[in-house]
Amino acid sequence: MTSIVIIGSGPAGCYLADQLLRVIPDASIDILEKLPVPFGLIRYGVAPDHQGTKAVARVLDRVLARERVSFFGNVEVGRDVRLDELMSLYDAVVLATGAPRDRRLGVAGEDLPGVVGSGAFVNWYNSHPSAHTPAMNNVQSAVIIGNGNVAIDVARILAKGPEELAGSDVSSEFAAWLTAQPLEEIHIVGRRGAADARFTDHELAELGTLQRARPVVSDPASLTGDTAVVNILRGFVEGPARDTPITINFHFHLTPTAFVGEGKLREVQFHSARGETVTLPAQLAVTCIGYETVACGTAQSANGVFANQDGKVGERLYVVGWAKRGPSGTIPTNRVEAQQLAQKIAQEIADGNRSGGQGLRERLEQRRVRFVDYARWRRIDAAELSRASPGRCREKFSSTEAMLNAALAGQLKPA
Ligand code: NAP
């Protein structure tokens, strides 16, 4: 039996497992995940009010449920098992660890309280166990840096009132914080023009449908070009005037140069294309400028990804998803990429008579690692669904320990 281990249970890892089962009929696939729960970006990246997108988790869940796939949650490479051990236990090892670290702008004041990377901010409103509450209050004006879909997600979540977040699984702590903010202005700032923005049409247009916020363009003359994005922005300018408590202001051709404040953020400074300094008041700034991968055990990343040749890092070691190509594309991009990598792995590896999942399980048990298998994950899932209050689809556990308690209740003594 050919044994393959995939490190990471986000869409890249799960789609790859699915494809490997198709092209390697005798494959046995283990998926390791450092959190007790699967699905990575789907659970902690996709916005909580986009439950339609999060529903892809059901497809991924069916992959984990397959007979020849085993899930090992709460197993961290480098902490619970070494990468070289995995290389000796399995015929192939695949890094599907995503890009969990925020890229930094590298400008003055970036560490001021009130300045947050989008990964940290999105993790917070998605109840990620390692998220901590950013220190800011009394937010009247929020500045969002970047012109991609993450910037749109962050703006939309900030702009929505409690009724608009009904039916979501937004973090209760975040929702309470948001309700307490006297928010009036959200600024989305791009360093290039509207025609260069990376928003997708659907996501941008959705900002025009919000109840307590309306999108405006600070300088309509800056809307040059004829792209779908530019036309949607023109529609915002030309549409009927609406009076809402919050405005979402689009600014273009402004390059961030500094975050300014005494002990906490007060304003963000930009350099305009005309050579002027422009400042926007802000008590919160979220930098939505992309992500980079981090080391996985002894595998080191460079320039935000693991260096690879079409998904191959080295002999029997592969990489897929954002860890391979950087943070780009949509969720279905991973399916296409998984097909290609699965073919490559099928051509390059053979059954090496390695002990695979059995060997891993023995080591984890010897080390008293409280790993979460598929049945235990289902228990966490059921507990989260059942504890949701009316108006919410799920109440996630926001700590690893709470997840493990739900998974292992009455089963194992703590290590
Ligand atoms: P993105 O689409 O790559 O956008 C990043 C933005 O940051 C760009 O506007 C970029 O400007 C800007 N930026 C980068 N470095 C900068 C700097 N030093 N100063 C100022 N601006 C800077 O990335 P993302 O928004 O993080 O999204 C990641 C991926 O997830 C994308 O593929 C996105 O489509 C996807 N996503 C999809 C959805 C959805 O479909 N609903 C939701 C969220 C995310 P330049 O263009 O000038 O480099």
Side-chain angles (χ1 to χ4, degrees):
M1 191 178 274
T2 310
S3 60
I4 300 169
V5 65
I6 299 171
I7 306 168
S9 66
C14 290
Y15 278 130
L16 180 67
D18 187 36
Q19 292 300 325
L20 285 168
L21 289 177
R22 289 167 204 250
V23 296
I24 309 181
D26 75 333
S28 164
I29 297 163
D30 294 342
I31 302 184
L32 270 54
E33 168 60 57
K34 75 174 180 182
L35 292 177
V37 291
F39 311 140
L41 186 81
I42 305 297
R43 190 176 154 101
Y44 292 117
V46 171
D49 61 334
H50 276 181
Q51 289 296 320
T53 310
K54 281 198 190 275
V56 76
R58 285 191 222 124
V59 176
L60 307 185
D61 198 275
R62 283 200 288 275
V63 176
L64 296 191
R66 300 278 292 272
E67 209 179 310
R68 287 187 288 129
V69 174
S70 299
F71 176 66
F72 290 87
N74 197 39
V75 176
E76 185 171 342
V77 176
R79 182 191 68 183
D80 303 313
V81 62
R82 297 189 315 273
L83 187 59
D84 65 282
E85 284 180 287
L86 295 177
M87 293 300 300
S88 69
L89 290 170
Y90 291 88
D91 297 321
V93 177
V94 185
L95 307 169
T97 48
R101 187 164 62 203
D102 281 307
R103 280 190 54 224
R104 284 178 62 88
L105 265 176
V107 304
E110 203 166 356
D111 294 318
L112 268 178
V115 183
V116 195
S118 58
F121 198 72
V122 169
N123 277 343
W124 180 36
Y125 65 56
N126 266 322
S127 312
H128 191 289
S130 70
H132 40 249
T133 309
M136 72 260 152
N137 256 313
N138 213 11
V139 176
Q140 274 179 290
S141 174
V143 166
I144 297 172
I145 295 172
N147 270 182
N149 282 331
V150 170
I152 301 263
D153 277 349
V154 169
R156 189 185 66 256
I157 293 289
L158 282 172
K160 280 191 168 182
E163 314 78 42
E164 293 174 280
L165 288 170
S168 78
D169 61 350
V170 71
S171 147
S172 301
E173 184 197 290
F174 175 84
W177 172 84
L178 184 59
T179 304
Q181 303 314 304
L183 197 59
E184 291 173 1
E185 291 176 3
I186 298 170
H187 301 275
I188 301 182
V189 188
R191 62 178 170 180
R192 296 193 288 155
D196 302 307
R198 300 194 198 176
F199 311 135
T200 48
D201 319 353
H202 182 263
E203 275 60 32
L204 178 60
E206 192 182 351
L207 292 186
T209 66
L210 302 179
Q211 288 169 19
R212 69 166 190 167
R214 65 185 190 285
V216 299
V217 178
S218 67
D219 176 14
S222 67
L223 296 181
T224 52
D226 191 26
T227 65
V229 160
V230 171
N231 289 328
I232 292 167
L233 290 165
R234 283 203 186 101
F236 292 158
V237 174
E238 290 156 10
R242 280 201 299 145
D243 197 18
T244 54
I246 299 176
T247 52
I248 302 174
N249 302 269
F250 285 89
H251 307 258
F252 299 100
H253 299 295
L254 292 182
T255 301
T257 50
F259 299 97
V260 182
E262 298 71 36
K264 62 182 180 184
L265 181 66
R266 178 167 43 81
E267 64 185 31
V268 187
Q269 285 181 356
F270 299 88
H271 189 72
S272 82
R274 294 192 201 108
E276 295 154 348
T277 297
V278 173
T279 57
L280 291 172
Q283 297 76 43
L284 165 66
V286 188
T287 56
C288 304
I289 60 160
Y291 308 104
E292 50 197 19
T293 199
V294 295
C296 176
T298 48
Q300 298 294 327
S301 59
N303 301 320
V305 295
F306 291 105
N308 68 92
Q309 193 76 43
D310 293 330
K312 186 167 181 171
V313 175
E315 210 44 46
R316 300 191 296 109
L317 180 62
Y318 299 88
V319 62
V320 71
W322 281 10
K324 169 189 176 238
R325 65 176 193 276
S328 63
T330 60
I331 291 159
T333 310
N334 293 296
R335 217 171 45 210
V336 179
E337 196 184 69
Q339 279 167 353
Q340 292 161 354
L341 187 63
Q343 296 283 355
K344 190 182 180 78
I345 293 175
Q347 283 160 13
E348 293 184 354
I349 67 158
D351 180 358
N353 207 18
R354 294 182 169 85
S355 63
Q358 197 192 330
L360 175 67
R361 188 162 289 147
E362 283 167 11
R363 283 173 198 234
L364 295 178
E365 281 168 359
Q366 272 166 15
R367 291 169 194 172
R368 295 175 169 264
V369 176
R370 294 177 293 164
F371 64 89
V372 173
D373 61 12
Y374 180 70
R376 290 168 180 164
W377 145 241
R378 297 299 304 170
R379 236 179 266 152
I380 299 175
D381 189 37
E384 287 187 342
L385 293 173
S386 70
R387 68 194 212 117
S389 51
R392 300 177 58 80
C393 63
R394 172 186 294 270
E395 186 72 46
K396 284 181 194 158
F397 293 112
S398 58
S399 78
T400 300
E401 212 45 47
M403 291 176 195
L404 290 176
N405 285 340
L408 306 172
Q411 288 210 320
L412 284 181
K413 294 198 179 81

